[in-house]
Amino acid sequence: MTQLVKTDERLRSVTSSINSKLNDPNTREYGLICLSNFIEEIDPGRLVAIHEQLTSAFHLSLKSLHLDIAHQFLARALPHCGKVPELNQILTSSIVPKILSFFYDSSRTVRQSAHELQLLKICLQKYHGPCGNQRANLERTLLSLVETTVDPGELDIIARVFPLLSTAGGGGTNGIKHTEDWKLMVTRFILTIQDSLVSLYGDFCPILDFENTQTDKMNLPECTEKNVFQRISFYKNRLMKLAKLVEHYLSDPFPGPKPVGMKSIMNIIRKMMIVDLMSILKSYVPHPREYIYLSVVIAAIHQSALLLLRSLISCVGSNILTEGADFEELLLQELKWMGERPEAFAELRIGVYKTILSYFEFSHNELSNMKTLIAWTKELRNDVQIKRKSIELNFSSKVKGQKKKKGLKVSGKVEFMATVISASSAQAVVILSNPAVSVLSLRILTLLIPTMDPTTHKEWIRL
């Protein structure tokens, strides 16, 4: 289209024609569609010739902020037009502040849409100054959306927007203010998650206490539910949503360094997993109905903790090895209580094994000591049940500078290792408790077995 508009005069004429449609409520939507497509096709170098017409177009588009098409147009136009100094000035001083004011307007009756959240994300990424002036209002509105959303897709979008709040306003020298804000927000989320855990686990686990800190929690309303199940669901949903936010603080890109407090995050993960289903079922409790309800949600809470743990590993990389012993013990306890019901908790087992594999990327498939390794392999074997008195494990290894060898002992540098389960008779049967679980379990065992000493190898195969 713009190839036909060769002169600046013609470019201004087309833009004015589109503006006339924007000015008419009956054709405003059509005008936004036309302008959105038109702007994307124009070379940024030519936008300066129509900056007056575009300024008028932006102001007219603000009249349609109740329409998703306006959010889509602005999300496309802001990054494109922000490259032009004449336009960027008006966007920063007038357009973006009005977009933000509409987003957190308490008088609005329509919930913020996914397109509007995407527009806010672009504003936070491109226009730190005006966003800094509205920071408190934006945080309050986003927290309200987190509390009330029931849509996982919407929560995911909000979780991607939230960390960008820490980039609002000036960053100071080397972005130190943004970095400090990031750390403060993560701390506040962790304290609020802990508050929800105390409400959920308090009677069952009295040792669950608060960290001593002067940092305030998030300003969220107290639960007023009288119904036991509704109250448990309320706190479960809250802590899982907040854990999702922390996941994105850890995993999403950030313009400055992330001062990750590994110990505090590991501590909250440990607290999320401190109560397990089997211990609930075995315990005598004065209020059985409450614990039955808690047992319904416990697996989801543990799954959320594992997702948070994987985000932590992804964020800190090999630094997670400084917490290696605690990490291994935490997952060993998880494997043990699930091992009491080998046929159950498939999704949770998959979550545990994905977390182990994430850890192995940085530990080079090794654990801190042989005792932990033996305990892990014992629990992992629960996922593969073998119907035969004897079965042979063959390891095929490709060793640098040598031919392929079979057996458990290999020398040289191992480039690849695969496990093959075979038997002396076709009557041998390997029963998988759950195919997906067993495949992951065997994969982990394949990585662990070569790190055993020869004596442990023999004992393991004899089991």
Side-chain angles (χ1 to χ4, degrees), residues 88-89 91-98 100 122-136 138 164-172 178:
N88 189 60
Q89 184 178 359
L91 291 174
T92 302
S93 63
S94 179
I95 305 300
V96 171
K98 288 178 180 177
L100 301 178
I122 289 171
C123 290
L124 286 165
Q125 289 173 328
K126 304 293 183 181
Y127 299 93
H128 305 301
C131 290
N133 296 333
Q134 309 292 351
R135 164 60 192 275
L138 293 173
L164 296 173
L165 284 178
S166 293
T167 66
H178 292 165

Side-chain angles (χ1 to χ4, degrees), residues 29 200 215 220 292 321 428 442:
E29 285 190 58
L200 278 171
T215 305
L220 295 173
I292 290 172
L321 299 179
L442 285 170

Side-chain angles (χ1 to χ4, degrees), residues 259-326:
V260 181
M262 274 197 297
K263 288 191 178 296
S264 63
I265 295 175
M266 281 294 294
N267 189 35
I268 200 64
I269 292 170
R270 199 177 298 110
K271 288 177 178 179
M272 290 173 73
M273 300 171 74
I274 198 169
V275 176
D276 63 70
L277 180 56
M278 300 311 295
S279 62
I280 292 176
L281 296 178
K282 290 178 180 179
S283 300
Y284 167 78
V285 292
H287 306 292
R289 186 172 62 174
E290 184 169 345
Y291 292 94
I292 290 172
Y293 292 155
L294 182 58
S295 67
V296 172
V297 304
I298 205 75
I301 295 172
H302 281 229
Q303 191 73 270
S304 180
L306 291 168
L307 287 169
L308 182 54
L309 183 52
R310 292 203 290 276
S311 290
L312 177 63
I313 294 171
S314 174
C315 180
V316 302
S318 59
N319 288 328
I320 192 65
L321 299 179
T322 61
E323 300 291 326
D326 288 343

